[in-house]
Amino acid sequence: MTEIGFHSLCKKFKKTSVIDDLNLTIENREFFTFVGPSGCGKSTILNMVAGLESITSGMITFDGHSIDGLPPGERDIAMVFQSYALYPHMTVRENLAFPLSVRKVPSADRQREVEKIAALLALTPFLSRLPRELSGGQRQRVALGRALIRKPKVFLMDEPLSNLDAKLRIEMRTELKRLHREFPVTTIYVTHDQEEAMALSDRIALLHEGALRQCGPPQEVYAAPANLFSAGFIGSPPMNFIEGTLLLDLPFLASRLAEYRNQPFIAGIRPTDLRITGEKRENTLSGRVLFLETTGETTWIDLEWRGNRIRGKTGPVRRTARDETAYFTIPPEKLHLFDKSSGERLW
Amino acid sequence: MTHRKGKEGAFLFLAPALLILAGITLYPLLHVFRLSLHRRLLIFDISRFVGPENYLYLLGDTRFRNALGNTIYFTVLSVLLELLFGLAIALLLNRHFRGKGLMRTIILIPWAIPTVVSARMWEWLYNPDFGLLNHLLGFRINWLGSPFLALNAAVAMDVWKTTPFVALLLTAGLQTIPRDLYGAARIDGAGPWTLFRKITLPLLMPVILVVLLFRTLDAFRVFDAVYVLTGGGPANSTETLSIYAYKILFQTLQFGYGSAISVMVFLCVGLFTLLFIPLLRRRKV
């Protein structure tokens, strides 16, 4: 039951600014994700919410009350670390019970809660094992259990899935969604994996060099990236960018772009929106095939077109080969246009 | 066949080290044991086999019992204090502050000074007439002259000298504890004392045991520090087993009886080691 507010939050390490003037509200019960490349400051934000890192200026609030100065243990939060941070000398049972025993919860209640959480996370058979005797996925579940057991106001998760293999990661994603449905607690999640962010979150915030680049529901960010960074970061494979000058007025763009006539700009088109065919049709452009990559369902093709390398999509059957000519269409309504100097979205 | 060959190969690789160890450790050990079963007095040119006579004499030797008591007192007190101070210093050095690197270097200085030099230094500090200690206290205490004070003065010197070594090992141990564990425990609600008791201490325990083993063995065999400081006096009140053995062996040249004392030191040290090994094994996380 907590709404988290960031008010002009800044963080500096010595003279380097890590977070620069962050303003944001995370709604009660929301699954909110900070996503960005490494070094963008996302983990620092999490550590500041946790109280493990001091704030240089600005304020973080829980339900309107500043939490500045509260030690981590009094913020009623729980955190899952990338390293899991399980206590190596304690059994699974002791790890799960630790937050309760520190808070002097009576032994009988503690026992009951541990049993309950262990059952929920399928950890019951492993209660007397030490962390090092568990697999990566099991350790991950113990870390989640230790965070869940106290029923905190806020969940913080710092790249919790990045140490798991690809298959387990997808499984745990589903698990996290299920847990969030069962315990609808305000959750701040941090990841560098845009796909993970998209799959899990109610809203995502894109961070780059300590600044918020875009914030919104995943679909919105995907459909209308606010700037070049956002366009390049969200979506896999990443968006194609083609530099050019605006010469022709497309009928549906005319009103918005009139002032950009004869100006340089950058056009973006997602590889999924760029259809490649083997034969020439009306309105197709042609390029030389540089590279093919099959994923089973689709084949990604890299083409060289007027000095640009652009990636497009074709069906599972290959109709073309390296160095051949292939044809493609760019549906105008799927085009994203950005100002070349500011990187901001034009359309 | 290949397996056998592999084993023989391994033995060949180990053989040089084993030979050297046998030459410099096992042979002297066995020789000392053989000597201890003899009555050998160099001055009178006596050398004959007497069996366990030397050991039987040990049982009734009050000077031996006094030396054993001194050694145990010295070992227990100095190791305990070194561990406490060493842990405190290691915890301080593990925090972030300006000049941490310099501090680490300064802390090590007492350990870097040769034992004999620091013993001489402390002898002057303790000097009743010109010593810095009395000068600062404004009393005139004969630190090395009273039986009770002298042994404790020797303990103080050893603590001063060896605490840096303990602090160094414990600092290394502290650095292997992941920082995330402290973050997790703080979020779980642990205060400084709980952090120390539930995280730091159990995770540092393997290193603490190694330190205890090293220090106990070293302290039990203490010789140079005390010998230079007090020579075993006054009235044998600071005479440790090693000093007693040295005096019997090399000052009175009673090789047989001196060897018997040395064998006793070896047996005590061996016993400690045997007690420690299962603890170390169990703690291997």
Side-chain angles (χ1 to χ4, degrees):
Chain A
M1 296 291 163
T2 304
E3 182 190 279
I4 304 168
F6 299 91
H7 311 275
S8 315
L9 187 69
C10 293
K11 174 70 187 176
K12 284 184 179 140
F13 286 117
K14 302 243 167 89
K15 295 227 166 97
T16 326
S17 178
V18 182
I19 298 295
D20 187 25
D21 194 27
L22 179 71
N23 287 287
L24 191 71
T25 304
I26 297 173
E27 310 285 340
N28 181 27
R29 300 185 165 196
E30 191 173 20
F31 198 114
F32 190 93
T33 301
F34 285 105
V35 61
S38 54
C40 70
K42 53 196 192 302
S43 292
T44 309
I45 295 179
L46 212 60
N47 286 335
M48 285 193 284
V49 177
L52 298 176
E53 200 83 73
S54 66
I55 290 170
T56 307
S57 68
M59 193 163 62
I60 300 176
T61 56
F62 284 4
D63 288 329
H65 302 290
S66 169
I67 54 167
D68 199 16
L70 276 183
E74 286 171 32
R75 297 185 176 199
D76 204 1
I77 51 170
M79 183 155 165
V80 178
F81 291 78
Q82 181 176 2
S83 64
Y84 311 144
L86 299 180
Y87 309 123
H89 54 297
M90 299 184 196
T91 61
V92 171
R93 184 189 300 281
E94 290 165 335
N95 265 284
L96 290 174
F98 189 77
L100 301 179
S101 57
V102 167
R103 278 154 216 274
K104 310 263 188 294
V105 173
S107 161
D109 298 350
R110 218 154 66 198
Q111 207 66 16
R112 205 180 51 237
E113 288 302 317
V114 168
E115 301 288 343
K116 225 160 72 186
I117 216 85
L120 179 79
L121 292 164
L123 286 170
T124 312
F126 312 111
L127 280 175
S128 2
R129 293 217 195 151
L130 289 172
R132 69 186 143 98
E133 297 165 331
L134 300 178
S135 71
Q138 288 160 350
R139 284 179 209 178
Q140 167 69 78
R141 293 211 299 278
V142 178
L144 279 173
R146 193 178 61 187
L148 283 165
I149 199 158
R150 228 180 54 232
K151 303 186 182 67
K153 284 198 296 193
V154 174
F155 268 139
L156 307 174
M157 302 199 189
D158 188 1
E159 308 233 11
L161 304 185
S162 56
N163 283 351
L164 301 176
D165 63 55
K167 187 168 162 279
L168 209 53
R169 206 178 306 160
I170 310 273
E171 276 175 37
M172 284 309 292
R173 254 194 234 169
T174 321
E175 183 82 1
L176 285 178
K177 277 197 137 163
R178 175 176 78 95
L179 290 172
H180 189 247
R181 237 192 343 265
E182 274 181 53
F183 303 91
V185 169
T186 315
T187 302
I188 308 182
Y189 192 95
V190 156
T191 180
H192 64 270
D193 181 344
Q194 52 93 19
E195 207 176 303
E196 201 172 288
M198 302 270 287
L200 283 166
S201 322
D202 296 323
R203 276 195 305 157
I204 61 178
L206 251 81
L207 283 174
H208 181 48
E209 291 171 350
L212 190 63
R213 295 297 156 128
Q214 190 171 4
C215 178
Q219 276 316 314
E220 204 179 290
V221 176
Y222 182 82
N227 45 52
L228 277 174
F229 173 78
S230 180
F233 193 80
I234 298 288
S236 170
M239 191 184 274
N240 297 301
F241 294 119
I242 303 162
E243 289 189 25
T245 308
L246 198 66
L247 292 177
L248 195 91
D249 286 330
L250 292 169
F252 57 93
L253 293 178
S255 58
R256 291 286 301 276
L257 297 180
E259 57 183 294
Y260 284 92
R261 207 151 171 180
N262 296 322
Q263 298 278 316
F265 74 104
I266 292 173
I269 177 82
R270 294 201 184 276
T272 26
D273 296 331
L274 197 121
R275 299 291 304 185
I276 292 182
T277 56
E279 64 266 17
K280 191 175 168 125
R281 286 188 212 145
E282 202 189 339
N283 284 336
T284 53
L285 301 166
S286 66
R288 190 169 61 91
V289 176
L290 295 172
F291 184 74
L292 295 104
E293 186 186 292
T294 308
T295 58
E297 188 194 347
T298 52
T299 302
W300 302 104
I301 298 181
D302 285 15
L303 292 175
E304 198 219 308
W305 177 73
R306 297 194 181 179
N308 294 294
R309 189 185 178 112
I310 54 176
R311 177 170 277 205
K313 177 181 153 177
T314 181
V317 188
R318 284 185 191 183
R319 298 218 167 81
T320 179
R322 261 190 72 173
D323 288 328
E324 280 184 13
T325 303
Y327 302 90
F328 63 96
T329 50
I330 299 178
E333 72 278 7
K334 302 276 190 187
L335 214 52
H336 308 263
L337 299 182
F338 302 95
D339 185 308
K340 195 182 169 189
S341 52
S342 73
E344 292 304 307
R345 181 185 185 82
L346 301 173
W347 185 79
Chain B
M1 192 61 194
T2 49
H3 184 69
R4 245 190 89 86
K5 214 173 170 182
K7 258 191 175 171
E8 277 165 15
F11 181 75
L12 277 176
F13 278 114
L14 287 172
L18 286 175
L19 275 175
I20 291 170
L21 272 179
I24 63 171
T25 307
L26 197 62
Y27 170 72
L29 189 71
L30 292 174
H31 189 64
V32 165
F33 183 68
R34 203 173 59 85
L35 274 177
S36 75
L37 300 177
H38 286 71
R39 183 168 167 78
R40 180 177 291 192
L41 298 168
L42 235 54
I43 306 169
F44 305 110
D45 202 17
I46 299 172
S47 179
R48 60 184 162 83
F49 182 79
V50 291
E53 192 181 281
N54 285 329
Y55 291 98
L56 292 173
Y57 182 74
L58 262 181
L59 293 177
D61 183 357
T62 49
R63 194 169 161 198
F64 172 75
R65 229 175 293 159
N66 169 59
L68 183 65
N70 286 342
T71 307
I72 291 172
Y73 180 86
F74 178 88
T75 303
V76 171
L77 194 60
S78 65
V79 172
L80 200 71
L81 290 174
E82 282 157 20
L83 195 65
L84 285 177
F85 289 136
L87 188 59
I89 291 170
L91 288 171
L92 283 173
L93 283 179
N94 204 36
R95 305 179 75 91
H96 292 281
F97 58 89
R98 280 172 68 96
K100 182 168 149 180
L102 185 70
M103 208 59 203
R104 270 193 190 163
T105 317
I106 290 173
I107 287 281
L108 275 177
I109 288 176
W111 190 53
I113 296 174
T115 311
V116 174
V117 175
S118 48
R120 272 275 179 267
M121 206 168 82
W122 278 81
E123 196 188 337
W124 278 106
L125 286 176
Y126 285 135
N127 185 296
D129 300 316
F130 314 108
L132 184 66
L133 205 56
N134 279 347
H135 176 72
L136 289 176
L137 289 172
F139 298 120
R140 199 181 169 285
I141 300 170
N142 193 353
W143 296 97
L144 301 176
S146 112
F148 171 75
L149 284 178
L151 190 54
N152 287 307
V155 168
M157 189 221 124
D158 194 64
V159 169
W160 174 82
K161 182 174 164 44
T162 321
T163 298
F165 172 71
V166 174
L168 185 73
L169 285 184
L170 293 179
T171 308
L174 284 176
Q175 279 166 352
T176 65
I177 303 176
R179 271 175 58 88
D180 274 358
L181 290 185
Y182 290 105
R186 279 169 67 198
I187 289 173
D188 284 344
W193 176 238
T194 313
L195 282 182
F196 176 73
R197 223 164 40 89
K198 297 278 188 179
I199 309 289
T200 309
L201 209 53
L203 290 174
L204 199 58
M205 202 39 93
V207 182
I208 290 179
L209 285 173
V210 169
V211 168
L212 268 180
L213 179 64
F214 277 19
R215 285 307 308 141
T216 307
L217 298 191
D218 268 358
F220 199 82
R221 295 172 306 165
V222 67
F223 175 75
D224 45 2
V226 181
Y227 189 75
V228 174
L229 192 66
T230 64
N236 295 339
S237 63
T238 59
E239 188 170 81
T240 64
L241 283 178
S242 294
I243 291 176
Y244 184 34
Y246 170 80
K247 284 181 174 168
I248 295 294
L249 276 166
F250 298 110
Q251 288 186 350
T252 64
L253 301 176
Q254 306 177 53
F255 280 13
Y257 191 52
S259 294
I261 298 168
S262 299
V263 169
M264 291 314 288
V265 174
F266 168 75
L267 287 180
C268 290
V269 166
L271 190 70
F272 291 143
T273 314
L274 287 179
L275 289 175
F276 267 109
I277 284 173
L279 284 174
L280 283 170
R281 281 229 179 97
R282 194 165 56 87
R283 285 291 179 172
K284 227 164 218 158
V285 176

